[in-house]
Amino acid sequence: MSTNAVITLDALPPTTHTKPISSQKWSSHFAFVMAAVGSAVGLGNIWKFPYMTGTSGGGAFVLVYLACVAMIGLPILIAEVTIGRAGGASPMGALRNLAAKYRASRHWQIVGLVGALTALLVLSFYSVVAGWALAYVPVAATGKLAGISGAASETIFNTILADPVGQIGWHTAFMATTVLIVSRGIGGGIERAVTWLMPMLAVLLVLLVAYAAAQGAFLDGAAFLFAPDFSALGTEAVLSAAGHAFFTLSVGLGAMIAYGGYLPEGVSIPRTAITIAALDTLCALAAGLAIFPLVFAHGLDPAGGPGLVFVTLPVAFGGMPGGDLFGALFFILLGIAAVTSAVALLEPIVATMVERGFRRSSCATMLGLLCWAIGLASVFSFNVWSDVRIAGDERTIFDWLNLLTSDILLPLGGIAIALFVGWAMPLRALGGEIDLGPRWLRAWRALVRYIAPAAVAMVLVSALMGAAA
């Protein structure tokens, strides 16, 4: 697939766009941080990280997770942003430029192309899940959650899944919003959106934490998240921490390479990466402090996975004063988090086409339509195609897309990026982009060369073994 794809793209017309992609820049350090944090803080952060923390040792898991961020997530994040700024192009173009400059194989560009295509596949089903969150906003705002039981809440969710027309409507609205933002470019689209949406997300998080403190069992929720239980830290929990430390920073998809391509000189990549990781973790923990006090106040099961958001939490909101308002705000929060992540998923492949001379608005529209069409398979896997299975497996089409992208292509992309920066780029070139002292620079390169790819490889093997079981 990769070889044919490269030949096809190489056959396209050369870049004739009057404004090369590398000439576009973030207007400020704040804008880049908001865009990068918006890419990292998505639907998974709102429910997955708090849930993993609570069921895997609480504060002990947080400590392991932070160590994994430092040794796995941050090194690869720095590597991706460095490739973007040094290469001055889309993920594919940046890798091609740097490979030529440092006399490495031209086939490294395949990593950028596959990452961008993986992001497109992720967006196809991510948009569907985001549509579920949007569908809950009017449900909560109109008081339909008031006093509902667990069974009634499950019925609401199942009704949404069983309605292909309704799902397509929300899926379409979400994709249209994403396309509109990306089509307007960096300054007029992505930057403007994230500099409004991310502060709005922060305000909503603070309001929801305050609501949970006033109406929920706040101390119980905080203990669930932060009380250390080292007995729960088995091999599986450590691998989960390593995997989430990698996945949560949106590396392996080309998004940070694309965003790094717009980063001006003079901005410290390591300091910015640390800020991004810190804000991402803070948002995830704040989400936990907003969710679990409400769950415990009603004696509900905190180990609900995806059902925690769409089945369990509506019961909690429905039984509390002001639950209709704050329930609607919570699902608006999910929608905002999803949009900022979706924009980062679409941008890498759009950037690839723009630098080859195609108009940004046309690329965003065509690729958005393609992504929307692929997303229909995920929509139908919950209703009209719910009985469709591939090779006799129990997984639906939705499950297979998630497995292919999240468990296989994403970690493979992260490993490849780490190996490229660690082995193909000379230390002197890295020192020109990464403002670390010689000792810290060598330590970082050792992490990128050995520790990070080995750890991500273990996560990949674990995921594949789990999928095959």
Side-chain angles (χ1 to χ4, degrees):
M1 172 187 121
S2 55
T3 303
N4 290 337
V6 172
I7 292 173
T8 301
L9 283 176
D10 285 345
L12 292 174
T15 300
T16 58
H17 199 275
T18 56
K19 187 177 183 181
I21 189 171
S22 58
S23 70
Q24 300 183 64
K25 299 294 180 184
W26 302 107
S27 65
S28 66
H29 178 241
F30 173 78
F32 172 69
V33 170
M34 289 297 98
V37 174
S39 173
V41 177
L43 295 175
N45 286 68
I46 304 299
W47 69 264
K48 187 175 182 180
F49 179 69
Y51 161 75
M52 292 169 61
T53 299
T55 57
S56 302
F61 179 85
V62 172
L63 292 176
V64 174
Y65 167 77
L66 293 175
C68 291
V69 167
M71 293 189 296
I72 303 170
L74 270 174
I76 299 179
L77 174 61
I78 292 171
E80 287 212 4
V81 177
T82 299
I83 289 172
R85 188 164 73 179
S90 69
M92 183 180 176
L95 283 159
R96 180 175 58 245
N97 292 344
L98 293 176
K101 183 176 182 180
Y102 301 116
R103 299 182 180 179
S105 170
R106 68 186 293 273
H107 292 100
W108 280 108
Q109 66 182 316
I110 297 172
V111 175
L113 176 62
V114 173
L117 293 175
T118 301
L120 197 70
L121 285 177
V122 171
L123 181 56
S124 73
F125 64 83
Y126 190 85
S127 175
V128 175
V129 178
W132 303 345
L134 297 179
Y136 265 88
V137 174
V139 171
T142 55
K144 293 180 180 178
L145 301 181
I148 62 169
S149 63
S153 180
E154 188 171 358
T155 297
I156 290 176
F157 185 46
N158 288 336
T159 300
I160 291 174
L161 296 183
D163 178 14
V165 175
Q167 280 201 75
I168 290 172
W170 291 113
H171 170 49
T172 303
F174 183 84
M175 278 303 306
T177 301
T178 303
V179 168
L180 178 63
I181 293 172
V182 174
S183 68
R184 292 179 177 272
I186 297 302
I190 298 175
E191 181 175 317
R192 181 174 296 179
V194 298
T195 52
W196 278 96
L197 292 176
M198 290 310 296
M200 189 183 303
L201 182 146
V203 170
L204 288 176
L205 262 180
V206 171
L207 284 175
L208 288 166
V209 170
Y211 178 74
Q215 300 293 334
F218 194 76
L219 294 179
D220 291 339
F224 183 72
L225 280 172
F226 299 117
D229 179 12
F230 289 96
S231 65
L233 277 177
T235 302
E236 184 177 349
V238 172
L239 286 174
S240 295
H244 195 69
F246 169 74
F247 296 133
T248 190
L249 295 176
S250 291
V251 292
L253 292 167
M256 290 301 142
I257 297 178
Y259 279 6
Y262 309 123
L263 187 65
E265 297 293 334
V267 175
S268 171
I269 292 177
R271 292 177 186 174
T272 301
I274 291 171
T275 301
I276 293 166
L279 290 176
D280 175 64
T281 303
L282 181 62
C283 287
L285 292 174
L289 290 175
I291 291 171
F292 290 119
L294 304 182
V295 171
F296 282 111
H298 281 73
L300 300 172
D301 181 14
L308 179 67
V309 169
F310 296 111
V311 177
T312 305
L313 265 183
V315 176
F317 283 121
M320 290 185 167
D324 51 353
L325 171 62
F326 284 93
L329 289 177
F330 175 79
F331 289 108
I332 290 172
L333 170 73
L334 283 183
I336 292 173
V339 166
T340 56
S341 294
V343 165
L345 292 171
L346 185 58
E347 175 61 22
I349 190 67
V350 169
T352 300
M353 302 306 293
V354 167
E355 73 182 8
R356 291 181 172 273
F358 293 90
R359 293 184 59 184
R360 171 173 282 271
S361 58
S362 299
C363 293
T365 301
M366 290 187 297
L367 292 167
L369 284 171
L370 174 62
C371 192
W372 176 86
I374 297 171
L376 295 180
S378 292
V379 169
F380 296 148
S381 69
F382 294 98
N383 37 75
V384 296
W385 290 351
S386 60
D387 294 329
V388 174
R389 297 293 185 270
I390 299 176
D393 194 274
E394 289 299 315
R395 296 178 182 88
T396 64
I397 297 173
F398 178 91
D399 296 329
W400 274 106
L401 281 170
N402 185 42
L403 174 66
L404 174 64
T405 55
S406 300
D407 292 345
I408 300 176
L409 295 177
L410 188 60
L412 283 176
I415 293 170
I417 289 296
L419 294 178
F420 176 79
V421 173
W423 295 96
M425 292 183 68
L427 190 61
R428 57 177 173 77
L430 295 171
E433 291 290 339
I434 303 171
D435 55 335
L436 293 171
R439 182 179 301 175
W440 284 106
L441 183 63
R442 285 192 293 270
W444 168 79
R445 190 169 70 156
L447 290 174
V448 170
R449 276 186 163 185
Y450 306 108
I451 305 299
V456 176
M458 287 191 292
V459 172
L460 171 62
V461 171
S462 176
L464 290 176
M465 291 176 63

